[in-house]
Amino acid sequence: MKKCIVLLLLFLLAFSSVFAEASDNTFLDEIFLSDIPITYGDEAFRARILEKTKGERDPIGLVLTGGSARACAHIGVLKYLEEQGIIPDFIVSNSMGSIIGMLYAAGLKAEQIEEVLLAADLSTLFSFTFPIDGGILVPTGFRTMIESLVGADFNLEDTDIPVMVVNDDLITKREVRITEGNFTDILIGSFALPVYFAPFEYKGHLLVDGGVISLAPLDAAYEYSDTIILSSTFYDQEDMELINPVTVLNASFDIGKRQNIAKDMKKYKNFIWIRCAVENYSFMAFNRAIDIAKIGYSSAALASDELSTLYKAGEVSDSMKKTREEIFPKISKINKSLTYFDRIEAADPTLMLAINVKNMNFEGKSDYYLKQSAVLGLDYSFLYGPAEMGVGSGIGFDTSDLCDSTVFWSFNSYIGYYPFDNFRMTGEIYIDMFRKNASFMPTIYFREGIDYIPFSIDRHKISLNQTMEYYNDYADKEKGSSSLFSSSIKYNGDFGFGDLYASVGYLLTATSIIWEEPANFLQASALLRTYCDSRNSIYIDTRALSRISLDKAGRVPLFFSDEYTTSTIDYGSRQIYTNAKYHNTIVGVEFGYDLPHSFTFGEFVTIEDSEAGVYFDMLIQDKAVGFSTGLDLQTKISMIGLVNIPFRIKIGYEYTVEKKHAFVSSLAFSLKY
């Protein structure tokens, strides 16, 4: 028996050693393979390049690096090359460079690419989401925009210029080079920056942004030619303060990337290097895309002597010319949709789970009279064609008075319909639970809205707006319910020296859903921002609002959306206390300064567009006068330049029309505004 046991132990020991050896060998094999790239569609890619050159010359390869907003410099580079008659025979790219390269390869002119990227605030194309797939941002709107240009079924191998996108695989730990597959999927996957975007699933791989490992995929380009143009946007950040963890982590990743590109650039010495001088621009400065593109153009011009030795095709192919003609009306339609309502129509049914923060009256330019709150929560949306709908839930905050704010649970649903680019119909319902002193009794808010924009050109817009609102606080029956009808015409304009916002409208209010105790009002408002210096840093905001009773039926209301900072807030009736019977008038002025500096955390999160001002508002109610004064602080948190969260805090002192003194404060913040 003892011999059997000993033999068994010896057998197990031998087997385990063999298994361990096999495992070690497998592990070593995987390590040794990690520097060997995986290429999909290599033969077809080579054949397409050969078709371009007819085997009569060395193909011209163009390498476009990443760099987020800095990569917009490639737009200027492509414009210069085309003006010189230099058309690349193939393009190799990664990260943001792939967006530029792929759109150009698909047929778009440099100017068209620029127009697409500047068509809207990128915040309208990207949304926060719950990171169930590995990313906190979803490019739903961006996907819709790209598919509206090239079509949902367009493939990478259908581009006029062969293009290769370089990513890195989380599973095999190897570089993956893609030359075939769905165009939009690959384009979005090319900038799958870890944490921010979910990895891109492709043929069993989980791919991330290739720029995480390599600044410039020179190795891939030299597989197909010895004539290579490198357009780069990478630079050292001399002013980086290595004191916060995010910056340190980002700088650590950068070490490996720079070592890799140094080896490649020493290995391949014969490439033409267009070194785009964009070091003074942030990685997130997408709002400066035009300026960055101009720098790319001038940087390419500096390499004119070297570029003059290359083969000149003269002009793009007939198929690219045709594509550009077809693209023009598509871009025009996108611009219209984004100009009117910051929206792009989804050609296919789209579902989206997003984290949303919505402030009802952010910056006072909305028509929410009976509700002022911010809701932080999750929204589940459905988009298809001219229709959209969604449901959501989260934590609600009354932000008009920070010293006496309420916190509650909010449920909401939304439906919208856009029969035309410039026409919108919406409906919203909010059910708020567990408000202060409200036990289990809910408050219900309903809003119907119709918006029509008959005129929008350059930086001037005229809109017609109609709303119907109903609010009922079931926990406070003494206040009853409130109903409101509004109709207004609004104007937004940019005159170079400043911005003007003005509106004229009509209000009908009542104390219940059946319109008891109706009262009629005429209202007008205007806000003018002017700048006092050429740098547009010192500003003056001048504003006026007047609401006049048409029937002398009772108290003329002030609403939270009027932005008069006060402590006399009546959450039950959804308005500010007022004893005026004939009119309420607000006149105000604010002197402020746009802070010139932004604060960045590893070039991924930036605090920017900060303003600090001193405001003075006077309230005139019939013959009584009060005022409110204090500090107005505004800023914006930008997530890699794609999603912006604006904040506004007002802190000050109030002298009421009842001759009382009070400390006042308010807060506004939003993701969608």
Side-chain angles (χ1 to χ4, degrees), residues 147 154 199 277 335 387 397 439 474 542 562 576 582 590 599 603 641:
E147 289 182 347
F154 188 70
N335 284 335
F397 309 86
S439 181
Y474 287 94
T542 307
D562 298 334
I576 297 168
Y582 303 103
E590 176 172 321
F599 307 93
E603 284 285 344

Side-chain angles (χ1 to χ4, degrees), residues 1-9:
M1 183 66 180
K2 291 182 179 179
K3 290 182 178 181
C4 291
I5 293 173
V6 171
L7 290 172
L8 180 61
L9 291 173

Side-chain angles (χ1 to χ4, degrees), residues 67-72 233 237 239 278-289 292 598-608 638 640-641:
S68 292
R70 289 179 173 180
C72 293
T233 62
Q237 285 285 112
D239 59 345
V278 292
E279 62 271 22
N280 293 327
Y281 292 89
S282 166
F283 284 100
M284 295 177 286
F286 287 99
N287 59 333
R288 305 293 300 278
I292 296 173
S598 59
F599 307 93
T600 183
F601 300 90
E603 284 285 344
F604 288 105
V605 178
T606 298
I607 298 175
E608 57 187 6
S638 177
I640 59 173

Side-chain angles (χ1 to χ4, degrees), residues 245-258:
V246 178
T247 305
V248 171
L249 181 64
N250 189 40
S252 300
F253 287 142
D254 203 45
I255 294 173
K257 291 192 288 184
R258 292 184 178 276

Side-chain angles (χ1 to χ4, degrees), residues 325-343:
E325 292 176 358
E326 295 172 348
I327 287 290
F328 270 116
K330 295 179 180 179
I331 294 178
S332 178
K333 181 175 175 58
I334 289 174
N335 284 335
K336 284 183 179 180
S337 297
L338 291 172
T339 299
Y340 293 135
F341 299 113
D342 289 327
R343 177 183 184 272

Side-chain angles (χ1 to χ4, degrees), residues 16 34 57 73 107 113 243 259 265 281 316 318 353 376 381 428 445 498 502 510 630 635 658 671:
S16 63
S34 60
R57 57 181 176 83
I113 299 172
I243 56 175
Q259 291 176 353
M265 295 177 78
Y281 292 89
V316 297
D318 291 338
L353 178 66
L376 169 62
S381 305
E428 301 172 76
Y445 171 81
T635 192
E658 292 85 8
L671 280 176

Side-chain angles (χ1 to χ4, degrees), residues 311-368:
Y311 171 79
K312 293 179 175 57
E315 59 183 7
V316 297
S317 65
D318 291 338
S319 61
M320 287 190 73
K321 292 179 181 177
K322 183 180 179 182
T323 299
R324 290 172 177 182
E325 292 176 358
E326 295 172 348
I327 287 290
F328 270 116
K330 295 179 180 179
I331 294 178
S332 178
K333 181 175 175 58
I334 289 174
N335 284 335
K336 284 183 179 180
S337 297
L338 291 172
T339 299
Y340 293 135
F341 299 113
D342 289 327
R343 177 183 184 272
I344 299 175
E345 188 170 291
D348 299 313
T350 303
L351 293 171
M352 181 178 67
L353 178 66
I355 298 174
N356 193 23
V357 181
K358 183 177 181 180
N359 197 306
M360 300 303 167
N361 288 300
F362 190 82
E363 293 188 341
K365 296 181 181 179
S366 55
D367 289 323
Y368 292 84

Side-chain angles (χ1 to χ4, degrees), residues 541-555:
D541 284 348
T542 307
R543 76 185 189 106
L545 180 146
S546 187
R547 187 169 292 119
I548 302 171
S549 175
L550 295 178
D551 51 19
K552 312 295 189 297
R555 299 190 308 174

